[in-house]
Amino acid sequence: MEAVRSPRSRSAMAKSIATQLTKMVNEKYSEEEKIAIAELKTLYLQTIQLDVELQREIYSLEQKFELKHNVIFDKRKKILQDFKKNHGDSTQNDNVTNFWLRVLKSSYTEFISKKDEQILGYLNDIRTKLYNSPVVKFEVQFYFDKNEFFTNDVLLKTYYLNCVPDVEDPLSYDGAEIYKTEGCVINWKNPQDRENKDSEQTFFAFFNPPILPSDENDPNYCDINNILQNDFELGFYLKERVIPKAVIFFTGEITDCQSSSDSDSDTDDTEESDADEVEDEGSSNCADK
């Protein structure tokens, strides 16, 4: 396997530790202690380098088993295709012919509008594909039957992972993390659909993530950064949980989010409960007086 870090990079990280040593001006450490701490940090850096190599090995192993998973997922897709062929389309969102729509609604409802539901009725499969070279990344692939909304057969969302320590601050490394995401162009057949998707909250905004400003002082930086952090979590969530567990999301045996109506109901119940408590407290205070 190709080395994750070149000798030059490792030398740079060693210099970084030496630089950190010179910054240890706290008088509670003697010169001998500072040297010992630097040696311990060097050992810690070696464990980080092992973790990086281990992560690459894990990704290589995951790629191998991805092929085996796809054999199973091909069978899942055939079952769904055969069912749809034999039973036709259905307007019922909980019908097996709308399998993936139901799965998505059970996993992150808030992103799906009524118009989105019509489009997602054509969704026939969701897969992921991992790449380990030259950069580590994975794609979430949404496959669609031919439809009247757009010409794409597949919509892609790509997540790029950083699996190496920062040369300037190697000891801050805490495992692989997503640092960038890319969507794709949706070729809408009706220009009005494109305009609507640009102006309203919709599932398809997932394929058009915002670009993080390079300047952290930009007034939009924090908001966009929060959006991207949620997006990164969603990418892993689809990859690790929703796609492999799709059937039990469909049946409702597992749900990780509630519908808007459920949330509103819960909020109303909470508000009513709080109001009752306030009223009880008021009655108690009156009685005390």
Side-chain angles (χ1 to χ4, degrees), residues 118-147:
Q118 298 177 35
I119 303 173
L120 292 172
Y122 292 94
L123 181 62
N124 63 56
D125 201 7
I126 308 178
R127 302 283 181 99
T128 58
K129 183 173 179 59
L130 177 67
Y131 297 85
N132 204 16
S133 180
V135 297
V136 179
K137 63 180 181 179
F138 68 88
E139 293 176 344
V140 185
Q141 306 166 338
F142 294 75
Y143 291 90
F144 288 83
D145 294 328
K146 291 187 181 300
N147 60 81

Side-chain angles (χ1 to χ4, degrees), residues 264-277:
D264 293 342
S265 176
D266 290 343
T267 302
D268 292 341
D269 290 343
T270 302
E271 291 176 351
E272 289 178 4
S273 178
D274 292 341
D276 290 341
E277 290 180 4

Side-chain angles (χ1 to χ4, degrees), residues 94-154:
D94 58 351
N95 190 283
V96 173
T97 56
N98 289 314
F99 179 83
W100 285 107
L101 169 59
R102 175 69 177 179
V103 170
L104 291 176
K105 290 190 67 177
S106 296
S107 52
Y108 55 110
T109 306
E110 300 303 325
F111 292 88
I112 301 175
S113 68
K114 292 297 182 181
K115 182 63 177 294
D116 291 338
E117 291 182 11
Q118 298 177 35
I119 303 173
L120 292 172
Y122 292 94
L123 181 62
N124 63 56
D125 201 7
I126 308 178
R127 302 283 181 99
T128 58
K129 183 173 179 59
L130 177 67
Y131 297 85
N132 204 16
S133 180
V135 297
V136 179
K137 63 180 181 179
F138 68 88
E139 293 176 344
V140 185
Q141 306 166 338
F142 294 75
Y143 291 90
F144 288 83
D145 294 328
K146 291 187 181 300
N147 60 81
E148 67 267 31
F149 299 101
F150 47 71
T151 60
N152 308 66
D153 294 325
V154 58

